[in-house]
Amino acid sequence: MDEGVQKYKSTKSILLQLKDIPVRAEKDDGPEEVACVSNELKRDMGKDTMHLVSYQGEFLKPCPGTKEYICCGYQILNVGTNCPLDCSYCILQTYFNRPNLRVHVNLEEQLGQVFQTIDSDPDKIFRVGTGEFTDSLALDPIIRWSETILRGFSERKNTVLELKTKTANTAGLLGSKYRDRIIVSWSLNSPFISCREEHGAVSLTRRLECARECQSEGFTIGFHFDPIIQHSNWMDEYRKTVDLMDKYIEPEGIIWMSLGSFRFMPALKPIIRRRHPETSILDGEFVLGLDGKMRYFKPIRMELYAFLNELLHQWHPDLGLYLCMESNEVWQESMGWRPETSEGLGNYLDERVRNFFG
Ligand code: SF4
């Protein structure tokens, strides 16, 4: 942990839980930067070490998104970086310049500032999530974010908090009395991709069991098919996942569901090859997109989205489906409508929030 973080409530509670684990205090190693790192760090991301940090940057910031495609205007609550799971496709493998599971232990003390920002713009809907730079619940049994952050979001009328996960760590949430305006989301994939590529994640069935429990306990839920990956029998495989959803979930309680096809910065490719030599996710044909990321050829992306759009529509006609980082042309061809601009997509999702929570 960084020197000086012992004073935070969160540090004390974490250390109490990890009392048999060796702890070392060290000098602050400077701010986290979004950058490519040495090959050595990329190979070993320090997922077995937790680093307690007093984070000096902005806790609430817009999702980096991309100017070249339509984005949803999401805000990230930056609770920490890196993740104990190890999905082969994870973009975090190239994203940060520091290893280890970095936990921002001064979060609780900085929440006032976050809510000041939210309160200063009462007409805007802040769609906030913690699952962009880490899994929202993977470390919750130790860090107990669910005890710290739910209340402030639950009590405000112009925000929602989305916790996105591939784990079954919902005990903290279920023990909380705050449910209003809290969205619990699971990332889903085909059974084939889930088993082979999402190392450390629980099975799809387990994710859906947890989603059902959260739904029956009064939480609003969401799902994300991202990254959708083209692989052998992909249609049958994704159909199995939607069949499982039908078995476990009441579709009326789903606020939204995003679809995003596999995309990556070119620098990620050698890292995936090195860290996950058995992977098959790089087998497709990719082209360089306008945002500098590699993605499937447009016709392939359209086919993936159109297939899932139709399949999910057959299950339920109003699931709040949207595409992550795509063009109007791809939207129109695969979804049958287009938001025109990022603002248009933001308005569509804001309307979902109003319909669900008032
Ligand atoms: S769960 Fe998300 S953040 Fe964690 S390794 Fe997988 S893709 Fe990365």
Side-chain angles (χ1 to χ4, degrees):
M1 62 186 176
D2 285 351
E3 284 174 352
V5 300
Q6 292 91 332
K7 65 182 178 206
Y8 295 113
K9 234 166 94 183
S10 185
T11 306
K12 289 176 190 148
S13 133
I14 293 166
L15 292 181
L16 205 64
Q17 298 216 48
L18 300 179
K19 48 183 181 308
D20 297 327
I21 305 280
V23 176
R24 195 178 71 221
E26 48 185 50
K27 274 215 165 70
D28 181 7
D29 53 5
E32 181 82 272
E33 286 164 23
V34 173
C36 285
V37 295
S38 75
N39 287 341
E40 200 48 48
L41 288 186
K42 284 174 191 165
R43 242 195 317 268
D44 172 15
M45 297 174 68
K47 285 172 183 270
D48 54 356
T49 303
M50 190 181 287
H51 191 149
L52 308 186
V53 179
S54 173
Y55 179 63
Q56 297 307 305
E58 296 271 332
F59 271 85
L60 187 68
K61 49 186 171 193
C63 178
T66 169
K67 284 196 298 292
E68 290 78 11
Y69 295 101
I70 294 174
C71 290
C72 68
Y74 203 66
Q75 303 268 334
I76 296 169
L77 181 67
N78 194 357
V79 296
T81 54
N82 206 345
C83 174
L85 280 59
D86 201 16
C87 306
S88 61
Y89 52 72
C90 181
I91 60 156
L92 300 183
Q93 295 172 103
T94 44
Y95 207 65
F96 294 110
N97 68 341
R98 304 274 181 235
N100 302 338
L101 308 173
R102 293 172 68 91
V103 176
H104 300 157
V105 285
N106 55 335
L107 168 69
E108 198 170 347
E109 286 69 13
Q110 295 300 315
L111 275 178
Q113 184 67 47
V114 168
F115 291 128
Q116 224 171 43
T117 305
I118 291 174
D119 294 343
S120 70
D121 202 347
D123 295 331
K124 175 175 168 164
I125 305 257
F126 287 80
R127 285 174 278 106
V128 180
T130 58
E132 300 303 305
F133 298 151
T134 182
D135 181 286
S136 295
L137 297 178
L139 294 174
D140 196 56
I142 300 167
I143 317 293
R144 304 202 169 157
W145 286 307
S146 52
E147 281 178 16
T148 328
I149 57 180
L150 299 199
R151 179 177 162 194
F153 287 93
S154 195
E155 288 177 341
R156 283 175 165 75
K157 292 294 168 213
N158 64 331
T159 186
V160 287
L161 176 70
E162 181 174 33
L163 304 167
K164 205 188 293 180
T165 190
K166 292 188 187 104
T167 75
N169 295 344
T170 50
L173 288 180
L174 295 170
S176 166
K177 61 178 179 184
Y178 301 105
R179 274 129 211 245
D180 192 24
R181 312 191 82 85
I182 307 299
I183 300 162
V184 199
S185 296
W186 277 264
S187 298
L188 299 176
N189 220 303
S190 74
F192 179 87
I193 295 295
S194 172
C195 289
R196 292 173 51 120
E197 310 288 349
E198 296 179 338
H199 308 292
V202 298
S203 69
L204 291 172
T205 304
R206 188 75 192 104
R207 288 177 222 180
L208 291 168
E209 281 172 357
C210 291
R212 176 168 66 183
E213 191 177 11
C214 283
Q215 194 169 42
S216 66
E217 290 283 330
F219 286 97
T220 296
I221 59 169
F223 291 103
H224 300 281
F225 276 93
D226 196 348
I228 303 167
I229 293 173
Q230 194 192 35
H231 56 282
S232 57
N233 292 331
W234 64 268
M235 289 187 180
D236 289 343
E237 284 288 309
Y238 281 107
R239 191 176 286 115
K240 284 182 199 163
T241 303
V242 177
D243 288 347
L244 263 186
M245 294 170 84
D246 180 44
K247 195 167 152 199
Y248 286 95
I249 303 298
E250 300 294 339
E252 296 78 14
I254 297 173
I255 185 167
W256 51 51
M257 203 182 291
S258 71
L259 307 178
S261 60
F262 180 41
R263 56 209 176 273
F264 55 95
M265 292 306 286
L268 184 60
K269 189 171 174 177
I271 297 162
I272 294 177
R273 287 248 182 264
R274 202 179 305 123
R275 295 193 72 243
H276 305 279
E278 69 298 338
T279 188
S280 58
I281 59 172
L282 296 169
D283 293 351
E285 280 189 76
F286 299 93
V287 286
L288 196 61
L290 297 170
D291 55 357
K293 287 182 186 156
M294 305 301 294
R295 36 183 88 215
Y296 293 123
F297 279 119
K298 206 176 349 177
I300 298 175
R301 303 204 311 271
M302 287 175 178
E303 191 188 9
L304 293 168
Y305 297 139
F307 174 78
L308 271 164
N309 182 43
E310 197 185 328
L311 194 62
L312 290 163
H313 252 97
Q314 282 165 4
W315 179 40
H316 192 268
D318 188 26
L319 293 168
L321 292 175
Y322 67 99
L323 298 183
C324 188
M325 295 190 209
E326 277 298 352
S327 64
N328 268 315
E329 184 192 356
V330 173
W331 265 91
Q332 188 66 52
E333 287 298 315
S334 48
M335 309 296 279
W337 73 283
R338 56 199 213 181
E340 300 294 348
T341 58
S342 293
E343 197 187 352
L345 176 55
N347 291 340
Y348 166 71
L349 296 172
D350 289 350
E351 200 48 37
R352 302 276 313 170
V353 170
R354 286 192 198 94
N355 290 343
F356 267 72
F357 301 110

